[in-house]
Amino acid sequence: MPTLLEALEEKYGMEPDEKEEHVEEEVLVSIFVPKLPPRQSTPQLLILNDCNIDRAGEPEDLKKKCRIVKELDLAQNKLNNWNEVFVILSHMPRVEFVNLSLNHLTGPIQKPPVTKMDHLRNLVLNNTKLEWCSVEKLLRLLPALEELHLSLNEYTHVLIDTVNSSAKSGDAGGDGPAAPATDATGNNNTKDDTTTATSHTSEDTSMSSCSCSSSSTSADQQKSADTTPVEPPPLQTDPHGGVRKLHLTGNYISEWGEICRIGRVFPQLEALVLADCPLRSLKPTDPQGNENEEKSHKYFQNLKLLNLSNAKIDSWEDIDRLADFPALCNVRLQYWPLWARTDSTTEHERRQLLIARLPNISILNGGDTIGAVEREDAERSFIRHYLDKPDEERPRRYYELIGVHGQLDPLVNIDLRPERKVKVRFTFEDQAIERTVDVNRTVSDLKSRLERIFDVPAARMRLYYVDQDFRDLQGLEEMKYPHKVLYSYNIRSGDEIIIERKVKS
C-alpha cells in the first residue's frame, strides 16, 4: 500500500524539489517564473481520499511538500495507527481541517511527536470507531479545535465528563471541587499541562491500555434477558472551551443524560447535531433510568442549533423543554413518532403548532426565517386549536398566548362550494313530486332516473329547467345537452324541472 507521500506524487506528478538557493545575478529586467508549474505544486486543499494510504512516508520530503497545506482529506484510507497520523500532521504546521473518516482508528493514542496542534480547528472522525478515551486525549492536544465530527461511531454512551464518575447524579452540576477521577482502567488522569508535556509515563500506560469502548455492553450482555447492561464509568476531563460545533449523527445514544455530559465537556457549544440518534426524551435520567430534577437546558446556555431529526420522541412536553433553551433559535424536529399520532392533519398545521410552542425559534426544519406575520397567525391558530380542549390538555403556552392575544372566538366555517344535494320539484302532466338530486350528475343520468319514475323512455323525454327566482324573467331553459353536468345550471333547492314527452313526427 502506498504512503501519503507516494500517493501525493502519483496524483500531482510531483518531482524532487530544486534547491531554493539561487546565485543572485545582476539583470536589467526581472520576470517572475514559477519554480514549478501549478499541477506540480502541492495545493492548500490536499485531497487524497480512498488511496489505500497506510503510513506517512519519508519525513523530510513530506515536510517540504506539505508545509503549505491547510486542509487535508484522508477519508477512506488504511490508516490504523495514530502515530502515523501525528507524523503526517507534524509536517503540516498550517493545517486547519483534517478528515480521517472511514479509517480504522480504534487503537489507543500514544505520546505524539508534538504536544499540541495549535492551528487545527476542524476534525472529522466519522465511522472510525474511535473510543472515548482517545477523544479525551485528542481534546487535550487540540486547544484550537472548534468543530468535531464523531458520527456513525456506534456510541451508546458518552464516556467523558467533567465530573467524577463516582459522583451522584444530583451533584452533576459540579458546584464543589471534584475528586480525582479514574478512567476505565483505574488509573488517575492528571490535567496539569506541565505534567502532560514532561511526564507521560503513567498517562501513556493508561492510554495504551485504554478499555473504554463505544458500546456500553457486549452483544452477549444485550441478548441476555436476565443481565442488566452496566454503563462503563466515564473518564474525567477538563472542559474544552473552544469547540462550538459537534456532530454525533447516527450513533445509538438514547438518553438525554448522556447528552448532558457533552454539554459539560463543551460549555461553549453552539451547534449540536443528533440526527438519527434514538433519543427517547429530553428529560435527563440517572444511570438507572429514573428521571432527575436537572433541567434539560442546564449545560447548553450557548446552544443555537439543535438537530433531532429521526429521534424517538413522542411527547409534546419535550417540545416545551426546547422552549427553555436560552439561545436556541434553529431546530430540526422531523420524522418523530409524535407527528404520526398528532391530531393535526397537515404539515402546515404541525408547523403552526411548533412555531406557537417555540417562541424563540426563528428557523424550523431548515425553512425560511419565521416572520412576525407567520408567528402571529400560528399563535392565534394555536389558541383556537385548544379552545374546545379540557383544561388538563391545555399546555402552559396556551395561557401565555391568551395573555398576548386575548380570548379568541372560533373561526366561522364558511363553505363557498355549491350544494351537492338539492331538492327539486319534478312536474309531468298532472303529476308533481319532489326528489333529491346530485348536481354532479349529467342530464343523461337524470333522464335515466326519471324514466323509472314517470314511465317515459329517456330517448322520448324533454326536460326544462325553471329557476324559482327568475321564472317570470327568463322562463324555461331546455336541458338539451345530455352530457352537461347539472350544477352548470346553478340548480338550487326549490327549483323546478318540467318533463315533456316528445311527439312522434
Side-chain angles (χ1 to χ4, degrees), residues 315-358:
S315 168
W316 283 106
E317 286 73 15
D318 286 314
I319 301 294
D320 295 334
R321 292 187 180 102
L322 286 175
D324 294 330
F325 284 66
L328 191 63
C329 60
N330 186 346
V331 294
R332 283 184 177 268
L333 312 174
Q334 296 165 301
Y335 314 116
W336 284 11
L338 177 60
W339 312 141
R341 69 170 183 82
T342 184
D343 53 2
S344 299
T345 57
T346 67
E347 184 66 29
H348 177 67
E349 289 173 331
R350 288 194 291 272
R351 178 177 172 85
Q352 285 191 318
L353 291 175
L354 285 171
I355 291 173
R357 283 184 181 259
L358 300 172

Side-chain angles (χ1 to χ4, degrees), residues 19-39:
K19 292 184 179 180
E20 295 185 4
E21 293 80 9
H22 303 275
V23 178
E24 295 186 0
E25 299 178 358
E26 185 176 352
V27 292
L28 296 177
V29 179
S30 298
I31 301 175
F32 173 76
V33 179
K35 186 171 61 174
L36 291 174
R39 180 61 178 164

Side-chain angles (χ1 to χ4, degrees), residues 148-184:
L148 178 61
H149 295 247
L150 295 172
S151 300
L152 300 170
N153 281 332
E154 300 182 0
Y155 298 138
T156 59
H157 294 83
V158 177
L159 299 183
I160 53 175
D161 205 340
T162 60
V163 298
N164 193 340
S165 61
S166 63
K168 296 181 181 179
S169 59
D171 299 330
D175 295 333
T182 58
D183 63 14

Side-chain angles (χ1 to χ4, degrees), residues 412-458:
V412 178
N413 186 16
I414 301 176
D415 190 354
L416 299 178
R417 294 173 298 178
E419 292 182 88
R420 180 179 177 183
K421 303 281 189 179
V422 296
K423 185 168 286 190
V424 178
R425 178 185 177 87
F426 292 95
T427 303
F428 174 64
E429 296 178 348
D430 58 349
Q431 301 180 56
I433 61 174
E434 286 189 350
R435 288 289 186 272
T436 300
V437 176
D438 187 344
V439 296
N440 291 318
R441 293 183 177 274
T442 63
V443 172
S444 177
D445 293 334
L446 179 60
K447 286 183 176 182
S448 297
R449 291 191 60 192
L450 295 175
E451 183 180 43
R452 298 189 295 269
I453 299 174
F454 295 104
D455 195 22
V456 178

Side-chain angles (χ1 to χ4, degrees), residues 154-441:
E154 300 182 0
Y155 298 138
T156 59
H157 294 83
V158 177
L159 299 183
I160 53 175
D161 205 340
T162 60
V163 298
N164 193 340
S165 61
S166 63
K168 296 181 181 179
S169 59
D171 299 330
D175 295 333
T182 58
D183 63 14
T185 63
N187 296 311
N188 290 336
N189 289 295
T190 58
K191 300 296 178 287
D192 186 275
D193 289 339
T194 304
T195 305
T196 302
T198 60
S199 177
H200 296 278
T201 306
S202 62
E203 183 180 291
D204 292 342
T205 303
S206 68
M207 297 312 296
S208 63
S209 60
C210 178
S211 62
C212 65
S213 64
S214 63
S215 178
S216 63
T217 58
S218 66
D220 292 339
Q221 286 177 316
Q222 291 178 347
K223 292 178 181 178
S224 175
D226 55 354
T227 301
T228 302
V230 178
E231 175 192 344
L235 293 165
Q236 184 182 4
T237 187
D238 289 333
H240 193 293
V243 174
R244 299 293 194 272
K245 299 179 181 179
L246 178 65
H247 293 250
L248 284 169
T249 297
N251 286 294
Y252 304 141
I253 303 169
S254 60
E255 301 298 333
W256 189 254
E258 301 293 318
I259 305 302
C260 287
R261 291 176 180 167
I262 292 292
R264 291 193 286 267
V265 174
F266 305 117
Q268 301 302 319
L269 199 63
E270 296 178 0
L272 178 58
V273 180
L274 298 170
D276 300 323
C277 293
L279 287 165
R280 295 177 293 188
S281 175
L282 298 183
K283 181 67 176 176
T285 57
D286 59 25
Q288 288 72 39
N290 301 315
E291 293 187 359
N292 58 39
E293 298 302 321
E294 211 167 62
K295 299 295 184 182
S296 304
H297 60 279
K298 179 177 181 180
Y299 304 106
F300 299 96
Q301 298 299 304
N302 300 297
L303 193 66
K304 298 178 181 179
L305 182 150
L306 179 60
N307 188 336
L308 293 172
S309 293
N310 275 317
K312 302 301 181 184
I313 296 175
D314 194 21
S315 168
W316 283 106
E317 286 73 15
D318 286 314
I319 301 294
D320 295 334
R321 292 187 180 102
L322 286 175
D324 294 330
F325 284 66
L328 191 63
C329 60
N330 186 346
V331 294
R332 283 184 177 268
L333 312 174
Q334 296 165 301
Y335 314 116
W336 284 11
L338 177 60
W339 312 141
R341 69 170 183 82
T342 184
D343 53 2
S344 299
T345 57
T346 67
E347 184 66 29
H348 177 67
E349 289 173 331
R350 288 194 291 272
R351 178 177 172 85
Q352 285 191 318
L353 291 175
L354 285 171
I355 291 173
R357 283 184 181 259
L358 300 172
N360 298 324
I361 299 302
S362 57
I363 300 178
L364 176 62
N365 293 332
D368 294 334
T369 301
I370 300 170
V373 174
E374 183 182 12
R375 179 166 295 282
E376 182 175 350
D377 289 344
E379 291 175 351
R380 289 178 172 274
S381 177
F382 183 84
I383 293 174
R384 292 189 172 98
H385 178 81
Y386 284 97
L387 277 178
D388 297 330
K389 300 287 194 301
D391 286 343
E392 59 270 14
E393 293 184 18
R394 291 173 176 171
R396 177 189 61 189
R397 183 65 178 157
Y398 171 82
Y399 299 100
E400 293 175 356
L401 292 177
I402 288 293
V404 175
H405 300 288
Q407 189 72 45
L408 304 180
D409 295 327
L411 292 176
V412 178
N413 186 16
I414 301 176
D415 190 354
L416 299 178
R417 294 173 298 178
E419 292 182 88
R420 180 179 177 183
K421 303 281 189 179
V422 296
K423 185 168 286 190
V424 178
R425 178 185 177 87
F426 292 95
T427 303
F428 174 64
E429 296 178 348
D430 58 349
Q431 301 180 56
I433 61 174
E434 286 189 350
R435 288 289 186 272
T436 300
V437 176
D438 187 344
V439 296
N440 291 318
R441 293 183 177 274

Side-chain angles (χ1 to χ4, degrees), residues 44-98:
Q44 291 186 346
L45 170 57
L46 181 56
I47 301 176
L48 293 172
N49 50 17
D50 199 14
C51 292
N52 291 320
I53 297 170
D54 65 341
R55 58 193 187 282
E58 181 60 35
E60 289 303 318
D61 290 342
L62 192 63
K63 184 176 182 179
K64 289 179 183 179
K65 297 183 188 302
C66 297
R67 60 184 179 273
I68 67 168
V69 173
K70 289 188 176 182
E71 298 184 35
L72 175 64
D73 187 349
L74 290 176
Q76 204 166 347
N77 280 290
K78 304 298 182 182
L79 293 167
N80 58 11
N81 189 322
W82 274 104
N83 286 339
E84 291 295 328
V85 175
F86 288 132
V87 169
I88 292 170
L89 297 181
S90 66
H91 297 311
M92 300 180 182
R94 300 183 184 180
V95 70
E96 298 177 357
F97 170 94
V98 176

